Amino acid sequence: MGDKEQARWKRAGQDFAKEHRDTFGLLVSGGVAGSVAKTLTAPLSRLTILFQVHSMVTTKPHAPQYAESLSSGLRKVLGEEGFLAFW
């Protein structure tokens, strides 16, 4: 292999590394953004599931709901199960 060919391969390798470094950065930032979003919305997802399941289990029309509102549902979970129950 001549010097020119080696230099060409070296430049190609550097370009390839630079391109993949950018791709890796985007992949990591997307993963972090998704993790943060999922962590922040988990409490609301938990309450949604509790409201849905409780309404399916309750067969009597006069039976009480799980909670009257979102805030009362938050207080009920926090009081009965603790803060970590949201996740």
Side-chain angles (χ1 to χ4, degrees):
M1 221 185 316
D3 289 338
K4 288 183 180 181
E5 192 173 345
Q6 284 180 343
R8 187 173 54 115
W9 278 103
K10 185 175 181 181
R11 278 193 312 274
Q14 290 170 348
D15 291 343
F16 182 79
K18 185 184 291 186
E19 179 182 327
H20 280 42
R21 185 176 32 224
D22 295 342
T23 302
F24 182 73
L26 290 173
L27 182 65
V28 169
S29 64
V32 169
S35 298
V36 169
K38 192 70 170 175
T39 301
L40 293 177
T41 60
L44 295 176
S45 297
R46 169 103 163 102
L47 281 177
T48 301
I49 292 168
L50 287 173
F51 279 117
Q52 290 172 347
V53 170
H54 189 72
S55 68
M56 288 173 28
V57 173
T58 306
T59 56
K60 300 176 185 175
H62 56 74
Q65 297 177 346
Y66 180 75
E68 296 294 322
S69 66
L70 180 64
S71 61
S72 64
L74 286 168
R75 282 193 300 272
K76 186 171 183 176
V77 170
L78 191 59
E80 291 180 2
E81 301 176 39
F83 181 72
L84 292 178
F86 290 113
W87 288 274

